[in-house]
Amino acid sequence: MAHLDKAFREGRGQRADAKSSTRLDWWREARFGMFIHWGLYAIPAGVWQGEAIAGIGEWIMKRAEVPVAEYEQLAKQFNPVKFDAKAWVALAKAAGQKYMVITAKHHDGFCLFQSEQTDYNMADGTPFARDVIKELAEECQRQGIRFCFYYSQTQDWHHPNGWGNDWDFGARDFNNYLETYVKPQLTELLTNYGPIGLVWFDTPMIIEEEQSRALLEHCRLLQPDCIISGRLGNTLGDYASAGDNKIPDGAADWDWETPATINDTWGFKTNDHNWKSTEDLVHKLVDIVSKNGNYLLNVGPTAEGVIPQPSVDRLLAMGQWLDVNGEAVYGTQAGPIQGVPWCRSTEKGDTVYLHVFDWPSDGRLVLESVSAETARLLCAPASALSIEPYDGGLVIVGPKEAPDKIDTVVALT
Ligand code: H79
């Protein structure tokens, strides 16, 4: 597929035998997840020593080349007294998100979980002294959300043998880091927190095929049902990953996901106010699902442990739309109408869902090469719409005013 991003086609692909795997069934049904980027970078929140640092917030250590000894000091200040696992999980639930992926360890090397491998973690190295991964895992279990974690397997700017920090460290033994640090940490994460839905690896960079395979097999032995993201590297993941905030032009016939931000950063930044509208976010979700993908939408909580209100507002609004129209999203796949600007389509069984982004002013929806016996609006299911034949297709006659300003869903059977 020439129109798809090169990395998506080649580097972030799905392992050949994963396409037919039932391991992915819950994830294919889910379609919408919550990503959480949270760590020490929430404290500087995009500003280092009075200077605004451009780019994504969780990269501040690298962008400002902050020495390890200095950046480490942030741990002593990390005391998110407003952190409330129950509220975070309840938000995901109200948003209609079915899985949660949180940064157990991002590139800066700080761990949100209690680890025997390093004290540089939330439970042992901060005044907060709580294992937030444990609290979230338990709360997800309680509220019926699949709990998952992000783990930076290649980049670690805090570990002398990890990749990416060349301002503190020189020669490194990357394989030693994988064997004596990454694997034991994955053992902890896949042993101490109950069933894990998936592990979201990221930025494979220098990792070699044998090393990716070793991590895959390591995870499999610990939790055979756990899904492994495409960014494990070397096309060994269970599903493919589109680029950050990238949506392919057309439907793909493999399993894939777009990780995305609501504003422009993953980790919290005080200066990023560029919030996407609810309409844009719903359209992106539907666009992705209409192409067989999943949408993993990020929040970046503050250093106090609060999810920014603009994110909360938009997620709740998405949840309201999904309360009415979820039937046309969950468990669906790419529908028969593709490449038409004013609508998207999804399908499940013998129902085709037409998602109308731009409702025509005469209320007449003209569809070519489609046949249907009944048409109903998901937002007003009691009243059937009439269908007229038209030149090899059909016309659905609806009201002149858009029933749903964001996306009106018409179910065709
Ligand atoms: O976790 C989020 C990002 O931190 C991570 N992937 C998502 C899910 C990611 N890692 N690397 N990248 C994204 C690509 C990063 C590119 C950039 Fe930069 C970081 C552009 C600006 C800052 C690297 C450093 C390239 C220029 C400076």
Side-chain angles (χ1 to χ4, degrees), residues 72-90:
E72 270 179 350
Q73 301 304 314
L74 293 170
K76 298 184 182 143
Q77 300 170 42
F78 201 16
N79 195 21
V81 291
K82 294 186 180 161
F83 170 71
D84 180 352
K86 196 172 170 185
W88 288 14
V89 176

Side-chain angles (χ1 to χ4, degrees), residues 262-280:
I262 300 184
N263 51 356
D264 293 322
T265 184
W266 306 85
F268 178 71
K269 279 183 80 170
T270 34
N271 296 329
D272 185 338
H273 306 292
N274 192 25
W275 305 101
K276 293 167 190 73
S277 66
T278 298
E279 180 178 12
D280 190 11

Side-chain angles (χ1 to χ4, degrees), residues 166-187:
D166 46 21
W167 58 97
D168 283 290
F169 307 122
R172 54 174 63 75
D173 183 346
F174 182 66
N175 204 57
N176 182 274
Y177 154 79
L178 290 177
E179 290 297 323
T180 67
Y181 190 72
V182 171
K183 278 190 183 174
Q185 285 208 318
L186 290 169
T187 301

Side-chain angles (χ1 to χ4, degrees), residues 35 37 56 58-59 63 106-107 150 202-203 244 266:
F35 214 171
H37 277 68
I56 45 186
E58 70 286 359
W59 273 68
R63 296 304 301 274
H106 203 266
H107 309 331
Y150 171 110
D202 197 9
T203 63
D244 294 355
W266 306 85

